[in-house]
Amino acid sequence: MNRVMVGMADMNITKDPGVLITLGLGSCVGICLYDPTSKVAGMAHCMLPDSTQIMNNDNLAKFVDTAIIRLINDMGRAGANKRAIVAKLAGGAQMFAFNSTNDSMRIGDRNVDASIKILKELNIPIKSMDVRENYGRTIELHTSTGILNIKTIGKGTKEI
Amino acid sequence: MFRNINQLNDLHFDVLKEIANIGVGNAIGALSELISTQVKMTVPEVKFLKFNEVGSILGGDEVIVFGVLVNIHGDINGMMMFLLRPEAARTLVNSMLEGMGLGESDCLDEFNEMELSALEEIGNILCSSYLGAMSRFINKSAKPFPPVLARDMAAAILSVPAIEFSKMSDGVLFIDTVFETQEKNASGIFLLVPDFDSFGTILSALGVA
């Protein structure tokens, strides 16, 4: 089985049998894509919602908008049926409980909002989400089932 | 005016190290007083780490850490973080509460309300002294907002400063200093994360922009 790590501002795909893993997802959003017909899976660990707002935007995996499109294309090349792809989202936490509307403190929310918007535009259904709140998450996407495992510190584990 | 963090040269790094030296020196003085113990510090290191390496500065992505975050406003904007492992948090909190005649505990998994607020206050004092010293040295204002404490996986906590950096570079510049108390082994890390423009301001103030 392939165990594929996905770091911050990184993305990866794997074929079955495999698992994609991101450790300690905080305010970044983990975008998980899965084609149940070919069992090809992809995961992106994005830091910012919108590449068009940033000058230095060469790293496609850093931004929600560019990462999703790149991930779909990479999955297609690996044999996924693009029309069958479904999504799961995790992360986008607000790690520090600031009582403020400060934009940079709300970055987790904005990452989640951007992911939902772009997936909707691309007609990719979001099957489930474990997002926002105020805690970190380690996530594992399994190609055999499409299940996303989520581990936390003190908030339990779950499968979505 | 430099446009990219990746362009920082050795001179810039030396200047940032010197600022960290002054800032941490002051913070350590405040900490020594607070816990009535001598505290040593290492020479600050300025490191440019790729995003996927940031967890390594605390011993791994999933290691549990405490982080106190202080947002900075004034001529210098950005954030400052003080990070430590639960063992060190326990040592500092016990030292502080002992001095006040309050009980201590060995537990690393549970910190009660009072202990957490003591820890937040320790982070606040450290960050404020650091910023005060830096601010006097470069003659630019850098005022702290109230501190906020979080306990979670290292990578999740560090995602907050990393995201700030991600707007301007493909890695994180850590100005990192380890301190140790003499009898009781406790170490922690300071991270100063000025925003992009403030980097320019700091370097200009010292004539190396």
Side-chain angles (χ1 to χ4, degrees), chain A residues 131-146:
Chain A
V131 293
R132 308 189 211 268
E133 306 295 342
N134 61 353
Y135 50 86
R137 299 163 172 96
T138 282
I139 62 171
E140 294 187 1
L141 176 63
H142 296 267
T143 56
S144 56
T145 54

Side-chain angles (χ1 to χ4, degrees), chain A residues 8-9 23-27 47-48 54-56 59 62 95-98 104-105 107 135-138 153, chain B residues 3 51 61-62 64 67 69 71 79 81 148 150-153 155-156 159 162-164 166-170:
Chain A
M8 218 181 268
L23 304 175
L25 195 57
S27 294
M47 307 180 81
L48 293 167
I54 303 288
M55 264 196 315
N56 174 7
N59 182 355
K62 194 155 84 179
M95 298 304 300
F96 291 88
F98 279 100
S104 68
M105 287 300 121
I107 192 73
Y135 50 86
R137 299 163 172 96
T138 282
I153 303 287
Chain B
R3 298 308 314 166
F51 292 126
D61 288 332
E62 290 187 295
I64 297 178
L69 177 67
N71 279 312
M79 57 175 70
M81 280 186 99
V148 186
R151 169 185 173 274
D152 213 305
M153 292 181 254
S159 74
I163 286 172
E164 273 311 292
S166 73
K167 296 172 188 169
M168 51 190 176
S169 79
D170 281 314

Side-chain angles (χ1 to χ4, degrees), chain A residues 16 33-41 75 78-86 143-146:
Chain A
D16 192 44
L33 300 183
Y34 179 64
D35 165 20
T37 59
S38 64
K39 297 188 190 291
V40 172
M75 287 170 69
N81 172 5
K82 291 187 191 178
R83 291 174 185 281
I85 290 175
V86 295
T143 56
S144 56
T145 54

Side-chain angles (χ1 to χ4, degrees), chain B residues 92-167:
Chain B
L92 293 187
V93 164
N94 281 352
S95 307
M96 184 173 166
L97 296 180
E98 235 173 74
M100 298 162 67
L102 295 162
E104 49 183 304
S105 146
D106 298 329
C107 182
L108 296 178
D109 299 328
E110 291 285 341
F111 285 69
N112 66 32
E113 200 86 345
M114 183 177 61
E115 291 168 335
L116 291 176
S117 88
L119 193 56
E120 192 170 75
E121 188 50 25
I122 289 168
N124 188 31
I125 289 167
L126 289 172
C127 291
S128 305
S129 341
Y130 187 122
L131 289 174
M134 179 186 83
S135 173
R136 285 191 296 278
F137 180 61
I138 63 175
N139 200 23
K140 298 280 175 197
S141 65
K143 299 186 196 105
F145 277 109
V148 186
L149 175 77
R151 169 185 173 274
D152 213 305
M153 292 181 254
I157 297 275
L158 288 167
S159 74
V160 176
I163 286 172
E164 273 311 292
F165 264 102
S166 73
K167 296 172 188 169

